[in-house]
Every structure is written in C-alpha cells, then in structure tokens.
Amino acid sequence: DLADQTVRALEEIVWAVRPGNDTLQGLVDYMAHFANELFEGNAIRCRLDLPSDLPARTLHPDMRHNIFLIVKESLNNVLKHSGGSVVYVQVKVEGNRLAIAIADDGKGFEPGTATDGGEHNGLENMRRRATAVGGELEVTSSPGAGTRVEFRMNFPS
C-alpha cells in the first residue's frame, strides 16, 4: 500500500508540473485516470460522465492542481467514509462555466457537525481550494442518503 501511495504521489507531482498538461482536457483526462485507478479492485464502482468535446482551454498550473485536489479529496472521502456501492463523477462545461459533481450512494453525514477525529478538515480544505481558484463548493448530504460535492467556477478571461 505504501509503495502504491508513493507511486501515485510521484505521478501526481509529475502531472502537476508538466506544462503540456495545462489544459482542461489534461485535467479531465488525469481526473479520469486517478478515479479509475483509485476504485480499481474496490467494492465501490466508479461511473464517469465526462464530455467528449471539451473546449480548448488553458488552465494555470495552480488552478488545475487545486481543482484536481478537490476531486481527489472528494473521491478519497467516498472510498474511506461512504460505505456506498457506487460513485458518480460528472464534468460539465457550459459556456464559460466548469461544473464538477461527485456523488455517492453511501451512508452520508450531517453537514456542519464536527467530529473528534477532524474528519471534516478535508471539506474545509476543499472549500479553501475552491475559493482560491474563484470557484464555489457545495456539499449536500444527509444520513442514509449519500453525499454530493459540487464544484463550480467561471473560466478566467
């Protein structure tokens, strides 16, 4: 497990610093790769709904990396905490707007409740990352009804 984590971390660093990946297509391709690899061999199935005709958009490396880390944290939360059987990852581009949704059919939780283990620190980190790129993050969940994380932002001019 440690070797797998190390390889993933190195792969992520290489992806993050490689200038050829500074596109929306590069981000979506890497998100799909990460999601498929993360859920491979796990009981939770991953369903991807990704556009086939993404606009040619360049993303600043910090922006691209922050968006990816939001997705990564969301997917890791599903794997660690949801107890569900399926996770859906959806990317939409409408005009000048990017929307990414990650939803699971797991046990959910009561948003706004703190836990002694600090489990909601990841949610706060995702919110900070969304704000850092001029986006917004909405988390919808309730006990027994799964969780949905939605990230939305306008592309920079």
Side-chain angles (χ1 to χ4, degrees), residues 15 19 34 40 47 55 63 75-76 100 109 120 122-123 148 157:
W15 172 79
F34 177 82
E40 185 178 346
R47 302 287 185 227
M63 176 178 282
L75 293 173
N76 278 320
I100 301 172
F109 65 97
H120 295 288
L123 294 175
R148 181 176 179 88
S157 302

Side-chain angles (χ1 to χ4, degrees), residues 95-111:
N96 197 38
R97 195 138 173 93
L98 171 66
I100 301 172
I102 298 166
D104 68 66
D105 66 347
K107 62 185 176 185
F109 65 97
E110 188 66 44

